[in-house]
Amino acid sequence: MSEEVERYKDEGNKLFAAKEWLKAASKYTQAIKIDPNNAVLYSNRSAALLKLLKVTKAIEDADTCIKLKPDWEKVWACVKCTSMRLPS
């Protein structure tokens, strides 16, 4: 991971922890533009989008994360949390 991507990710993580989910998602998006094959970034943005109740977009990021890293257990937990937010 490049220093620039790491910086955006770290900034996003700090914003997420501060419950500034829209700003966090923006930082993850900036990082994804540089490193579009990084599953962690999609997972983090998915979590931020879920906090914003943007369920469809959160699912899209979770799906991308699965395609990039299908054996990663964290992404499956993310998918489960996202699907629980879907209307019945």
Side-chain angles (χ1 to χ4, degrees), residues 19-44:
K19 299 182 180 180
E20 300 226 21
W21 298 301
L22 185 60
K23 290 179 182 178
S26 176
K27 293 295 180 181
Y28 299 135
T29 298
Q30 289 176 293
I32 288 168
K33 287 179 182 177
I34 300 165
D35 188 358
N37 295 315
N38 187 320
V40 172
L41 300 173
Y42 286 97
S43 174
N44 290 1

Side-chain angles (χ1 to χ4, degrees), residues 41-70:
L41 300 173
Y42 286 97
S43 174
N44 290 1
R45 188 172 70 176
S46 179
L49 292 169
L50 189 58
K51 291 287 189 179
L52 294 166
L53 301 177
K54 295 181 182 267
V55 178
T56 302
K57 290 181 185 254
I59 290 171
E60 288 172 7
D61 275 359
D63 285 344
T64 300
C65 190
I66 289 169
K67 290 174 186 163
L68 293 172
K69 200 167 182 177

Side-chain angles (χ1 to χ4, degrees), residues 50 59 62 66 73-86:
L50 189 58
I59 290 171
I66 289 169
E73 292 178 16
K74 181 180 177 181
V75 73
W76 291 104
C78 181
V79 169
K80 183 176 180 181
C81 288
T82 304
S83 65
M84 289 171 55
R85 293 275 190 156
L86 291 172

